[in-house]
């Protein structure tokens, strides 16, 4: 069993491996995390469009100021669906859901896949739920299996799992340096949970926890998925070639601008002019020998006017891919109600498939797990969706979809 688990884990890492470079590139050109990446980001069109799209999905899918889901009882004998809806909404409002889900929406737009971890809090907490947006680099998935890796100092591992005995080859290292980082792997295959330390050797000897879950706490949802793939593809990944090109064009424009400002110069090596002492600033006086040509501007022949045409086209395509042209135009005052409805209809046709996927991979699992936690704690009577009650999604995007006959 453990050998099979380790094989699944290694296979999941192999499946994820090609995506890491794509995710790094997508993050670099939209949300750079290092100073080096930020220093080479010259065009913010994609970053601005990502913020706009993530905020729009937030207000369309899970608006905190309004009710966006409700339960409809299947029969008169069904448990109190109104009480369950109220309890679910109250616990979501009292939790960190609305601050965390926006992080997931950013991952969804940029990477195409997002992971929301929904944990149960101790009795007495303000909410029964606690949420964490798990970075996709820490998640590896297979059909019906999730592997979550995290790095912890050895000191914390030994405190949290006192029954674990470190292998002999790293026990001395941990004794010398209690802060030695250890890799913890948490796996959920079906409903079976296993946590072990990936420190080499047999998994069986390094298992620190086992258990089962009634519902999956890892809610993984994707923008769109190609047949045979595990990870999603979002609008940033699709627009990445244009985003990279636009960034390069702006870089070249800026380099050309420095030439236009400071110029390119030539001078005779006459032993009088010291090129190391020349400062090309406004008002500078550059000495030259009598009768010499001194410092002479050199025509570069550079004509980069075509760059503006290319850049305009690239930025339009980027904004179009990230729906910024549709979402932004909806707020323009000169548009008529008919034009707004037409653009709204166009946006919904584009988002229709994504909307359906998010209902299946995000909204329903979130509701299932929330109801399971609340019923197990005795807050509500047990409710099974499609048996005791029907989930009715009434967020703004659902109402737009109904008006366009998409559902």
């Amino acid at each position: 069993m453990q050998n099979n688990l380790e094989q699944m884990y290694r296979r999941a890492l192999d499946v994820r491996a090609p995506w890491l470079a794509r995710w790094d590139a997508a993050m670099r050109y939209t949300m750079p995390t290092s100073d080096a990446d930020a220093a080479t980001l010259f065009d913010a069109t994609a970053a601005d469009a990502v913020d706009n799209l993530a905020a729009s999905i937030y207000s369309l899918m899970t608006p905190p100021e309004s009710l966006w889901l409700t339960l409809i009882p299947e029969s008169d004998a069904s448990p109190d669906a109104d009480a369950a809806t109220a309890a679910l909404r109250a616990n979501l409002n009292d939790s960190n859901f609305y601050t965390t889900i926006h992080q997931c929406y950013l991952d969804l737009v940029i990477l195409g896949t997002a992971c929301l971890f929904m944990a149960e809090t101790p009795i007495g907490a303000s909410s029964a739920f606690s949420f964490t947006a798990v970075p996709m680099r820490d998640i590896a998935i297979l059909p019906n299996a999730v592997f979550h890796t995290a790095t912890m100092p050895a000191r914390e591992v030994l405190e949290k799992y006192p029954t674990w005995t470190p292998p002999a080859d790293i026990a001395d290292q941990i004794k010398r340096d209690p802060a030695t980082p250890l890799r913890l792997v948490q796996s959920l295959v079906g409903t079976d949970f296993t946590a072990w330390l990936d420190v080499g050797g047999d998994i069986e000897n390094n298992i620190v926890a086992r258990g089962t879950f009634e519902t999956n706490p890892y809610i993984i949802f994707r923008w769109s998925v190609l047949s045979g793939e595990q990870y999603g593809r979002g609008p940033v990944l699709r627009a990445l070639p244009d985003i990279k090109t636009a960034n390069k064009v702006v870089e070249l424009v800026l380099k050309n601008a420095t030439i236009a400002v400071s110029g390119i110069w030539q001078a005779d090596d006459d032993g009088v002019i010291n090129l190391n002492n020349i400062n090309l600033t406004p008002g500078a006086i550059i000495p030259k020998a009598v009768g010499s040509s001194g410092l002479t501007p050199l025509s570069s022949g550079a004509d980069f006017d075509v760059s503006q045409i290319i850049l305009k086209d690239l930025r339009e395509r980027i904004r179009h891919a990230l729906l910024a042209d549709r979402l932004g135009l909806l707020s323009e005052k000169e548009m008529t109600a008919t034009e707004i409805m037409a653009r709204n209809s166009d946006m919904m046709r584009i988002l229709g498939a994504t909307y359906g996927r998010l209902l299946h991979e995000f909204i329903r699992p979130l509701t299932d797990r929330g109801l399971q936690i609340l019923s197990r704690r005795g807050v509500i009577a047990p409710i099974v969706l499609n048996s005791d009650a029907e989930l009715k999604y009434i967020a703004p995007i659902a109402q737009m979809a109904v008006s366009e006959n998409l559902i």
Side-chain angles (χ1 to χ4, degrees), residues 109-126:
V109 172
I110 297 172
L111 308 179
T113 309
C115 178
L116 179 69
F117 183 78
M118 185 176 182
E120 181 179 355
T121 61
I123 300 294
S126 59

Side-chain angles (χ1 to χ4, degrees), residues 389-404:
E390 174 191 355
L391 171 63
K392 185 173 180 59
Y393 188 51
I394 54 176
I397 194 172
Q399 299 172 22
M400 293 161 58
V402 170
S403 67
E404 296 301 323

Side-chain angles (χ1 to χ4, degrees), residues 71-231:
L71 299 174
I72 307 299
E74 291 286 356
S75 67
D76 294 339
S78 299
D80 191 343
D82 290 339
T85 300
L88 184 61
R89 184 185 184 193
N91 280 273
L92 286 174
N93 289 343
D94 292 338
S95 72
N96 62 335
F97 173 75
Y98 290 106
T99 57
T100 305
I101 192 59
H102 183 259
Q103 301 172 42
C104 290
Y105 288 147
L106 287 172
D107 283 349
L108 182 68
V109 172
I110 297 172
L111 308 179
T113 309
C115 178
L116 179 69
F117 183 78
M118 185 176 182
E120 181 179 355
T121 61
I123 300 294
S126 59
S127 171
F129 314 139
S130 176
F131 296 90
T132 304
V134 184
M136 285 309 301
R137 274 190 157 274
D138 295 340
I139 293 291
I141 58 176
L142 290 175
N144 203 36
V146 180
F147 298 90
H148 178 196
T149 60
T151 301
M152 300 173 60
R155 182 191 306 106
E156 293 184 17
V157 172
L158 294 174
E159 291 174 357
K160 189 173 182 179
Y161 307 108
T163 59
W164 176 63
T165 302
D169 56 342
I170 66 171
D172 291 339
Q173 181 181 349
I174 293 175
K175 192 173 296 184
R176 289 193 305 270
D177 182 12
T180 298
L182 298 179
R183 186 182 181 88
L184 177 69
V185 182
Q186 302 172 83
S187 69
L188 191 66
V189 180
T191 60
D192 296 329
F193 172 80
T194 307
W196 75 90
L197 289 158
D198 188 12
V199 293
D202 191 0
I203 283 182
E204 183 66 35
N205 297 327
N206 295 307
I207 290 177
V208 294
R210 280 193 177 97
T212 59
F213 281 94
E214 292 183 47
T215 52
N216 193 340
Y218 293 98
I219 302 173
I220 297 174
F221 47 102
R222 302 163 293 182
W223 185 274
S224 63
V225 183
L226 289 181
S227 175
E229 291 187 345
Q230 299 299 321
Y231 298 93

Side-chain angles (χ1 to χ4, degrees), residues 179-359:
T180 298
L182 298 179
R183 186 182 181 88
L184 177 69
V185 182
Q186 302 172 83
S187 69
L188 191 66
V189 180
T191 60
D192 296 329
F193 172 80
T194 307
W196 75 90
L197 289 158
D198 188 12
V199 293
D202 191 0
I203 283 182
E204 183 66 35
N205 297 327
N206 295 307
I207 290 177
V208 294
R210 280 193 177 97
T212 59
F213 281 94
E214 292 183 47
T215 52
N216 193 340
Y218 293 98
I219 302 173
I220 297 174
F221 47 102
R222 302 163 293 182
W223 185 274
S224 63
V225 183
L226 289 181
S227 175
E229 291 187 345
Q230 299 299 321
Y231 298 93
R233 295 172 182 264
V236 168
L237 287 179
R238 289 201 299 267
L240 197 54
D242 286 338
I243 294 172
K244 289 181 176 180
T245 305
N247 193 71
K248 190 65 178 179
V249 170
V250 173
E251 180 184 1
L252 295 176
V253 168
L254 293 174
K255 287 181 178 179
N256 193 61
T258 61
I259 295 175
V261 170
S262 60
I264 301 176
W265 303 77
Q266 63 179 357
D268 292 333
D269 187 6
D270 56 7
V272 176
I273 296 178
N274 186 347
L275 298 179
N276 293 326
N277 294 333
I278 293 176
N279 187 15
L280 296 177
T281 58
I285 298 175
I286 302 174
K288 75 179 188 71
V290 177
S292 71
S293 61
L295 196 62
T296 306
L298 177 66
S299 176
S300 67
D303 183 3
F304 220 70
D305 291 341
V306 69
S307 65
Q308 298 306 316
I309 301 174
I310 296 173
L311 190 57
K312 182 176 182 293
D313 181 55
L314 287 169
R315 284 173 170 168
E316 286 178 352
R317 291 211 301 262
I318 292 169
R319 290 174 59 81
H320 184 79
L322 272 68
L323 304 180
D325 53 349
R326 296 163 177 79
L327 296 171
L329 286 173
L330 290 177
S331 62
E332 293 187 3
K333 294 181 180 180
E334 65 270 16
M335 292 181 63
T336 65
T338 302
E339 288 173 324
I340 292 176
M341 291 178 63
R343 291 190 181 278
N344 186 54
S345 174
D346 182 44
M347 185 180 69
M348 281 309 304
R349 279 195 295 270
I350 294 172
L351 286 177
T354 299
Y355 164 66
R357 180 173 291 280
L358 291 179
L359 273 181

Side-chain angles (χ1 to χ4, degrees), residues 366-384:
L366 175 74
T367 306
D368 270 334
R369 179 149 177 80
L371 293 175
Q372 180 263 318
I373 291 175
L374 292 176
S375 64
R376 193 166 59 79
R377 294 164 74 113
V379 177
I380 62 173
I383 292 183
V384 179

